């Protein structure tokens, strides 16, 4: 199959940027890959991993002649990056991103871009708690959703090209309005992260003896929060700073439901507790049925056999 894009420029080459580089290359979706990042050591790491063809610390240089540009840095850097690359963009190019919030991206990037390019913000709903160029892998997007939020002015043929690119990396693609994306992601991703940061933070503040027991007995539930709470601090700072309204709206609802739960515990309302826990169990089953999670017990973690006891002893 002929490559869909002759030159892909990736601005930022962490977990998501490096996964795009590997997946686009493996699936023959692009000709040349240009990589730009901020620090020399990150660029050297990307080069050692052979992620692209052109390596530069100058994002304006990377986008020259590119027919697809994807911003893969933390969303807080987007406005400055857009201002820097705008005068160097190829007419007819598609400019996209992978940022976890979308309305902010429209407002931060859109005003800098010339009318000659097609701006189609995007967000792959795929990731891990690891960061940097060596965290990426080509299969990251397989079977996962990618949301695109094109404005009405973008020709459908251009949107279709970008849909084809993400599908070529194994993603399912859905287009929606940026504000709707932000509301949905606030409850499915941003609030769960806030809860995880909060509970792990509470433990961090506990006095030393209790803390060591929490670490020791963490497998009883706490451990699963720590995976989420180990996510990149800069990325998540930017998400909460740029999706404030949707997060506060959903946090309000969450707090009301938490108060109801607190009341059920205090008043010994077992029926309410059991009814809620039954509903939530069904939601997990539907996520597994939708192929978005493994059905294996305990997230498929390996469980070692108990050490053999000596019968004669
Ligand atoms: P990451 O692994 O921390 O990598 C971030 C990259 O951005 C690094 O290469 C960093 O380079 C670069 N960068 C930072 N500031 C820059 C600047 N001013 N100019 C150019 N490059 C700069 O982050 P990530 O997880 O790939 O996340 C990147 C984006 O994907 C974020 O917008 C995030 O919202 C979105 N996203 C993340 C996930 C996830 O689970 N991680 C999922 C979906 C979407 P240096 O090392 O050179 O500073």
């Amino acid at each position: 199959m002929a490559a869909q894009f002759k030159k892909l420029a990736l601005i930022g080459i962490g977990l998501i940027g490096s996964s795009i580089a590997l997946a686009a290359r493996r699936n023959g979706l692009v000709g040349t890959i240009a990589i730009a990042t901020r620090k020399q050591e990150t660029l050297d790491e990307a080069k050692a991993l052979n992620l692209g063809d052109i390596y530069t610390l100058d994002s304006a240089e990377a986008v020259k002649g590119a027919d697809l540009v994807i911003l893969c840095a933390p969303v807080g850097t987007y406005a400055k990056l857009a201002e820097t690359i705008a005068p160097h963009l190829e007419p007819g190019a598609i400019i996209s991103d992978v940022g976890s919030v979308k309305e902010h991206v429209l407002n931060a990037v859109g005003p800098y871009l010339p009318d000659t390019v097609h701006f189609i913000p995007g967000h792959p709903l795929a990731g891990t708690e690891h960061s940097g160029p060596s965290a990426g892998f080509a299969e990251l997007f397989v079977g996962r959703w990618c949301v695109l939020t094109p404005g009405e002015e973008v020709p459908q043929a251009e949107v279709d090209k970008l849909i084809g690119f993400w599908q070529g990396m194994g993603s399912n693609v859905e287009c929606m309005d940026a504000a709707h994306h932000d509301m949905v992601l606030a409850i499915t991703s941003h609030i769960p992260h806030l809860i995880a940061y909060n509970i792990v933070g509470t433990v961090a503040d506990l006095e030393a003896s209790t803390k060591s027991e929490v670490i020791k007995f963490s497998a009883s539930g706490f451990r699963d929060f720590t995976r989420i709470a180990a996510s990149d601090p800069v990325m998540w700072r930017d998400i909460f700073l740029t999706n404030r309204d949707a997060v506060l709206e959903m946090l309000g609802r969450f707090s009301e439901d938490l108060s109801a739960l607190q009341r059920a515990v205090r008043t010994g309302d077992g029926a309410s507790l059991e009814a809620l826990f039954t509903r939530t169990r069904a939601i997990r089953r539907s996520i597994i049925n939708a192929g978005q999670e493994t059905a294996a017990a305990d997230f498929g973690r390996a469980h070692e056999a108990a050490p053999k006891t000596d019968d004669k002893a």
Side-chain angles (χ1 to χ4, degrees), residues 2-217:
Q4 287 169 301
F5 293 95
K6 66 180 191 316
K7 181 179 173 187
L8 164 66
L10 295 168
I11 314 299
I13 192 72
L15 167 70
I16 302 294
S18 61
S19 296
I20 293 176
L22 292 167
R25 175 69 86 224
R26 178 187 283 185
N27 295 295
L29 304 173
V30 295
T32 303
I33 300 178
I35 290 169
T37 192
R38 181 180 50 168
K39 296 185 194 149
Q40 184 64 49
E41 68 239 46
T42 307
L43 199 64
D44 292 344
E45 197 180 335
K47 205 169 184 176
L49 291 162
N50 201 21
L51 294 176
D53 308 292
I54 298 166
Y55 302 89
T56 173
L57 293 177
D58 181 357
S59 46
E61 191 56 39
V63 304
K64 282 181 190 160
D67 47 355
L68 177 59
V69 175
I70 308 182
L71 304 180
C72 301
V75 286
T77 65
Y78 280 11
K80 187 85 197 86
L81 285 173
E83 187 180 13
T84 306
I85 63 173
H88 308 279
L89 293 170
E90 182 87 350
I94 292 176
I95 315 307
S96 190
D97 78 301
V98 293
S100 308
V101 300
K102 295 276 59 88
E103 209 165 24
H104 168 83
V105 171
L106 276 179
N107 298 332
V109 174
Y112 290 107
L113 300 183
D115 293 342
T116 51
V117 301
H118 307 291
F119 181 35
I120 311 175
H123 178 204
L125 308 188
T128 74
E129 66 278 28
H130 299 299
S131 308
S134 48
F137 50 100
E139 303 79 13
L140 179 63
F141 309 112
V142 176
R144 308 304 301 277
W145 285 98
C146 178
V147 175
L148 301 180
T149 61
E152 281 173 5
E153 74 291 353
V154 183
Q156 189 58 41
E158 302 300 326
V159 178
D160 288 344
K161 271 198 234 167
L162 193 58
I163 290 175
F165 178 77
W166 280 101
Q167 286 176 337
M169 294 193 291
S171 280
N172 307 313
V173 182
E174 187 149 318
C175 292
M176 67 173 73
D177 170 69
H180 184 66
H181 164 279
D182 289 355
M183 201 55 94
V184 171
L185 267 291
I187 194 62
T188 56
S189 171
H190 306 169
I191 298 292
H193 276 78
L194 202 66
I195 293 166
Y197 282 125
N198 188 49
I199 193 165
V200 177
T202 301
V203 168
D205 291 341
L206 287 175
E207 43 99 9
S209 63
T210 320
K211 202 191 296 180
S212 71
E213 291 195 324
V214 171
I215 304 294
K216 188 164 139 195
F217 299 126

Side-chain angles (χ1 to χ4, degrees), residues 290-312:
Q292 296 293 309
E293 172 62 301
T294 173
D298 197 18
F299 301 119
R301 287 182 179 113
H303 287 264
E304 285 171 27
K308 278 193 182 146
T309 50
D310 187 346
D311 290 339
K312 288 174 206 146

